[in-house]
Amino acid sequence: MTTEAIADMAQSALYLIIKTAMPVLLVSLIIGLAVSIFQTVTSIQEQTLTFVPKIVCVFIALILFGPWMMNGMVQFMVELWSTFSLYASQ
C-alpha cells in the first residue's frame, strides 16, 4: 500500500466526516444563535434554556438527514471493501 493510497483514503474519510456532520452542526449552530438572540432581547439569563431546543432540533435533523448520512457512509465502506484487494496485494 502506497502512501498516496493512504492519503487518498484519509482525505476521502475526512471529507465524508465533514459532509455528514455539517447538517446537524448547522442546525445546532442556528438554533443556539436564535436562542441566544432571544435571551439577549428578553434579558433572560437562564443557562439551561438552550439545551432543550437544541436537543429537539438536532433529533429532528438526524431523523431528516439520517438516511442521507447513512447512505454516504455505506457507499464509502462499499468502495473501501470493493478495492480492498488492490490495497492488500501491494
Side-chain angles (χ1 to χ4, degrees):
M1 181 175 268
T2 63
T3 56
E4 291 86 17
I6 294 172
D8 285 342
M9 280 193 297
Q11 181 181 6
S12 297
L14 288 174
Y15 178 70
L16 179 68
I17 290 168
I18 291 170
K19 189 173 78 170
T20 55
M22 192 61 60
V24 177
L25 291 175
L26 284 176
V27 166
S28 178
L29 175 76
I30 291 168
I31 296 302
L33 183 64
V35 171
S36 295
I37 291 171
F38 174 74
Q39 282 181 321
T40 302
V41 168
T42 59
S43 299
I44 298 174
Q45 297 301 323
E46 180 63 35
Q47 295 293 327
T48 60
L49 184 63
T50 62
F51 291 119
V52 174
K54 273 189 187 179
I55 289 172
V56 170
C57 291
V58 165
F59 183 69
I60 291 170
L62 284 173
I63 290 172
L64 293 175
F65 293 109
W68 173 77
M69 295 164 73
M70 186 61 74
N71 188 28
M73 290 184 278
V74 167
Q75 284 179 352
F76 181 72
M77 287 307 298
V78 166
E79 181 183 332
L80 279 182
W81 282 108
S82 65
T83 58
F84 183 73
S85 62
L86 297 174
Y87 300 128
S89 66
Q90 294 179 357

